[in-house]
Amino acid sequence: MRKDILQKPKSFYDTFFRKPGANPQSTHYCPGCGHGVIHKLIAEAMDDFGIQERTIMISPVGCSVFAYYYFDCGNVQAAHGRAPAIATGLKRALPDSIVISYQGDGDLAGIGGNNILQAANRGENITVIFVNNAIYGMTGAQMAPTTLVGQKTTTTPLGRSVENEGYPLRMSELLATLKAPVYIERVAITDAKHVMQARKAIRKAIQNQIEGRGFSMVEALSPCPTGWGVTPCEAKKWVAEVMAEYFKLGVYKDKNGTPQNGESPPPGAKREIVTTKKEILALLGAKEEATDHKFTQLQAGENYQNPRIKIAGFGGQGVLLLGRLLSEAAMLSDYHTTWLPSYGPEMRGGTAHCHVNISNKRIGSPLVSEADVLFAMNLPSLDKFENEVRKGGVIFVNSSLIQRRVKRKDVEAVYVPATGIADNLGQTKSANMVMLGAYAGYTGLLSLKSILAAAESVVKRKEFKKVNEKAIKTGMEFVRNRKVKRSESVVELH
Ligand SMILES: Cc1ncc(C[n+]2csc(CCOP(=O)(O)OP(=O)(O)O)c2C)c(N)n1
Ligand code: SF4
């Protein structure tokens, strides 16, 4: 009797929470779609190689855009066609990670054609899974670069013609002409035998990366019954009998990552990683700056360390600048930090917000989805982001413009009449500086000196120097002079 239990790979989430109300056990793919099978082969390989914890999947734009709802590993969703560039950055920054660039044919061979070409040519030590279904599935079955001659799509209703659209691109053959890639194979998601071949190829492409051999790609011919307007069975048959006729299955390159005929090793396999500041400076031939801009880190309370901050208000309130100054002051104090602005269409009057991370550790993503700290400079910002603050987090409220209290009872609320204070100082626009000072004073994370130095280096106009300094100090004093009211779980500062 068999002893092994057949079950969902552990590298998948137990339940898929993509859509409220949808079956948490099923994916969003259409019946008969090849994406689900390919996902399973990748997840099984991740389990078997024991690499789940260090794998980063890059989902493309296309039907597989939601892959991050299924793979329980690191996930990044790339802009259309840009997955190889993101994979390059990730792999170089985190050489121990296993980076898988998952892409459709529109994504890889269309809009991202040059991205894949350059990554392959550089021999990046990444694994590319290329799902070729000869169509743009997600957007309603338009012609892709891999659409077959004569194939009807919504943009080639009479069938692709060579005269109009040229020949379908054979990406595996094309990339195999490059010197750097170590392994390229084309497989097909049809019957069990071919799925097993696909399984083997995917494992090999991942194994190559684990062993640091260089660029590997598996192209999988994949059924798209919906886009092709056929049944799942007909779709598989079409892959086997028609697609595979033009896109011949097989291994197009297998260098095994070892130098051949006196060649040097593939570039991606032996990459020198420059990591330390000293190494980078030496490479640039630069000297370390004089350290008069270095400030010692303060010992902030535990609740205020390593904050993920969201700052929101209307355009013109200087919320982006406030974020930049926080980040700059953090940098001057030798923290890791990121600043990610989010621009609304209007510069003035519209809403604006930015994300800031300050940490003692390396920062994985600049995006702040659950904030430790929220700056709400106006009411719509408080309404929008109040519930995105973590339990125990802090909300700084510009109480000059926000008349209501924070509704949450499980966060600290700090009410600062920032606009009023700024008005009194004769410069309404410095409300952001008042808030900055209030933040530093309340949390004790950044020193006054570091903030003033940041303001001086970022705000170039001299006439603002004095008023900014005054506003920052006033904000700081405001919170320090106020008493913290503690009820059961709420801390309110008035
Ligand atoms: C920059 C940009 N251009 C166009 C689109 C529209 N778009 C979304 S998915 C897609 C094609 C995806 O096709 P493919 O890569 O073959 O993946 P499939 O959906 O077939 O799996 C396009 C053109 C987009 N989202 N972004
Ligand atoms: S449209 Fe095609 S590629 Fe997209 S989920 Fe449906 S079958 Fe799969």
Side-chain angles (χ1 to χ4, degrees), residues 289 293-297 309 311 319-340 354-359 363 433 436 439 445-460 472:
E289 264 181 56
H293 268 174
K294 267 288 176 57
F295 302 99
T296 37
Q297 293 182 2
I309 306 170
I311 307 167
V319 298
L320 303 186
L321 177 63
L322 170 47
R324 253 196 87 188
L325 291 186
L326 273 174
S327 213
E328 193 79 21
M331 218 165 1
L332 293 173
S333 309
D334 237 3
Y335 285 108
H336 293 275
T337 182
T338 58
W339 171 70
L340 185 73
C354 65
H355 309 229
V356 173
N357 282 281
I358 300 176
S359 182
I363 296 164
M433 302 292 156
L436 181 59
Y439 171 79
L445 185 78
L446 296 165
S447 68
L448 177 63
K449 276 189 182 169
S450 69
I451 289 179
L452 293 180
E456 199 176 337
S457 83
V458 173
V459 185
K460 296 287 177 215
I472 291 166

Side-chain angles (χ1 to χ4, degrees), residues 29-30 33 35 63 133 137 224-226:
Y29 297 118
C30 311
C33 174
H35 278 301
C63 280
N133 58 19
C224 173
T226 306

Side-chain angles (χ1 to χ4, degrees), residues 35 61-64 80 104-108 111 133 135-139:
H35 278 301
V61 167
C63 280
S64 48
H80 210 4
D105 47 297
D107 190 84
L108 181 141
I111 192 167
N133 58 19
I135 212 156
Y136 288 2
M138 186 192 205
T139 40

Side-chain angles (χ1 to χ4, degrees), residues 143-149 160-170 246-247:
M143 192 198 92
T146 50
T147 296
L148 293 182
V149 174
R160 178 178 186 154
S161 82
V162 173
E163 292 75 21
N164 269 336
E165 290 92 17
Y167 293 97
L169 282 180
R170 291 179 170 123
Y246 182 82
F247 296 111

